[in-house]
Amino acid sequence: MKKAFLFLLLLVCTAHYSQAVRKYSNEFMNIGVDAAALGMSNTVVASTNNVNSGYWNPAGLIHLEDSQVSLMHASYFANIAQYDYMAYGSPIDDRSAWGISLIRFGVDDILNTTELIDSQGNIDYNRISLFSTADYGFTFSYARKLPVPGFQYGVNAKVIRRIIGKFANSWGFGFDAGIQFEKNNWQFGLMLRDITTTYNVWNIDEAEYKKIADASPENNQELPESTEITAPKAQLGIAKKFIIHYDYSILAAANMNMRFTKTNDIISTDFVSIDPAIGFEFGYTDLVFLRAGVGNFQNVQQLDNSEKVGFQPNIGLGFKYKGIQVDYALTDLGNQSDALYSNIFSVKVDLSLFRN
């Protein structure tokens, strides 16, 4: 039933696509990657410095000393949806680096009941089939140091592929840009997502659409518009790492996540809405890490029409040994937001380990 409900939700969303700029479009690309970053509530725009920088801020790829790979798996919506990510990054020379990544967010084995009732009006369960809906994001990243000391920039080129069984599919294209600056152990970062807007073109299977066109009176009578545009977003970050007695470290970070439209974010205007987040990472000899963060501050309307502030606390831990790092994060600890909690695992490997 949960999968059937999610499928109906996806069809409704598809039916309302148009050429207008959307508040929420290609949202699977905004979930986040790397359990280490998610444990800190995504507050890594300024401090990211590994293969996962291709997602968080491509400028951070410049810190790669050798090739790295990263893998992540997470389950969302009570294990209904599966989120998988893989990435590769490598330095080009002492002033530039590149990376590629792939994200898949999918729901599999959804019941297709559009042909449950045959032409004679009889219910035939043998006519039920299964299908999957999946979103794919492929990103190519490039980073380079600027002539000004402490500055580096990066850009992403993204290809989006979205599939809803045999009912509809789309292609999309877009760009991101990021910059980082470091001085006196302070780190600053700015990430601009979908800076040119990301443009999706949908192809609707008309034969399949006709099977559900009359399912809801006065709805879905005409084919939906075939294009949608993802509006730009910005993330501004600051971070600093403190070393305590050589063996211990604390990384403190904060983000301001901005959408240029009015949303339920705790700071919301007609021009921009801002969702702040803070995160911490406690490290011991660069071997063991404990992380915590809080973000996703939203004004949530209650059943009695009153409002309360919802937020999402996250925790995580990680281990690093000889170029292999394994991380875990538990998001939305205590269910303080509308989101459901999720268990997230990721691994990062420095490929120089296999050349020694």
Side-chain angles (χ1 to χ4, degrees):
M1 289 299 294
K2 290 181 179 178
K3 291 186 177 181
F5 173 78
L6 187 58
F7 166 55
L8 291 176
L9 179 62
L10 289 169
L11 285 182
V12 169
C13 291
T14 303
H16 284 81
Y17 285 148
S18 71
Q19 283 187 322
V21 175
R22 297 299 182 190
K23 287 184 181 180
Y24 305 103
S25 176
N26 292 331
E27 281 298 296
F28 78 100
M29 292 295 289
N30 298 323
I31 293 174
V33 304
D34 181 25
L38 294 168
M40 295 177 62
S41 293
N42 306 345
T43 56
V44 296
V45 171
S47 61
T48 182
N49 59 4
N50 54 54
V51 60
N52 299 309
S53 299
Y55 177 89
W56 294 111
N57 187 339
L61 289 171
I62 206 67
H63 297 285
L64 287 174
E65 297 180 358
D66 208 318
S67 300
Q68 286 185 350
V69 296
S70 180
L71 301 171
M72 189 193 92
H73 174 76
S75 297
Y76 291 95
F77 308 118
N79 294 325
I80 294 176
Q82 306 301 315
Y83 185 99
D84 295 288
Y85 160 81
M86 62 178 65
Y88 171 84
S90 178
I92 299 173
D93 51 38
D94 61 352
R95 298 193 62 83
S96 59
W98 72 284
I100 55 174
S101 65
L102 176 66
I103 291 174
R104 180 189 186 271
F105 183 66
V107 179
D108 300 305
D109 297 331
I110 303 172
L111 294 177
N112 179 4
T113 60
T114 57
E115 299 180 0
L116 176 62
I117 302 176
D118 62 23
S119 59
Q120 306 300 318
N122 301 312
I123 296 177
D124 184 356
Y125 292 100
N126 292 321
R127 294 165 64 90
I128 296 177
S129 59
L130 300 175
F131 73 98
S132 297
T133 176
D135 299 329
Y136 298 88
F138 176 82
T139 303
F140 176 82
S141 307
Y142 175 79
R144 188 168 182 83
K145 289 183 179 180
L146 287 169
V148 181
F151 279 95
Q152 56 259 358
Y153 74 91
V155 293
N156 288 338
K158 302 186 295 187
V159 178
I160 308 296
R161 176 65 169 165
R162 307 186 68 184
I163 302 172
I164 305 177
K166 56 185 177 181
F167 302 96
N169 62 81
S170 78
W171 287 98
F173 304 91
F175 295 90
D176 305 329
I179 191 169
Q180 287 182 331
F181 173 64
E182 304 171 30
K183 187 173 182 179
N184 298 330
N185 294 324
W186 285 92
Q187 298 170 297
F188 305 88
L190 175 64
M191 178 63 170
L192 302 175
R193 299 186 182 276
D194 306 298
I195 56 173
T196 59
T197 69
T198 294
Y199 190 78
N200 283 63
V201 178
W202 282 87
N203 175 41
I204 311 296
D205 188 307
E206 296 190 25
E208 293 296 328
Y209 186 81
K210 288 180 180 179
K211 296 177 183 179
I212 62 171
D214 298 320
S216 177
E218 300 181 3
N219 291 311
N220 301 332
Q221 303 302 308
E222 298 180 358
L223 284 174
E225 296 287 346
S226 60
T227 59
E228 63 174 330
I229 296 173
T230 305
K233 295 172 286 293
Q235 293 174 291
L236 181 64
I238 183 173
K240 186 173 183 179
K241 191 171 187 177
F242 302 89
I243 305 298
I244 305 173
H245 298 300
Y246 302 101
D247 290 337
Y248 301 91
S249 66
I250 299 176
L251 174 64
N255 268 19
M256 300 290 281
N257 305 308
M258 296 171 279
R259 292 178 183 265
F260 299 99
T261 185
K262 192 168 186 176
T263 68
N264 289 331
D265 289 341
I266 191 172
I267 302 172
S268 183
T269 68
D270 291 334
F271 172 69
V272 64
S273 296
I274 302 175
D275 165 30
I278 57 173
F280 299 92
E281 178 186 77
F282 304 89
Y284 172 67
T285 64
D286 201 32
L287 178 67
V288 180
F289 304 92
L290 296 175
R291 306 180 181 98
V294 60
N296 195 25
F297 290 91
Q298 303 283 311
N299 293 311
V300 182
Q301 187 170 19
Q302 306 301 296
L303 293 176
D304 60 1
N305 291 324
S306 64
E307 284 192 351
K308 77 168 187 178
V309 176
F311 58 93
Q312 182 172 323
N314 302 337
I315 59 172
L317 57 88
F319 302 92
K320 182 178 180 180
Y321 182 69
K322 290 186 176 180
I324 299 177
Q325 182 169 330
V326 179
D327 296 294
Y328 165 78
L330 175 62
T331 66
D332 197 22
L333 177 69
N335 293 324
Q336 295 297 317
S337 74
D338 285 346
L340 299 176
Y341 77 89
S342 297
N343 295 288
I344 300 168
F345 297 89
S346 69
V347 60
K348 182 167 74 264
V349 180
D350 190 333
L351 296 184
S352 64
L353 176 68
F354 300 98
R355 287 194 288 272
N356 295 333

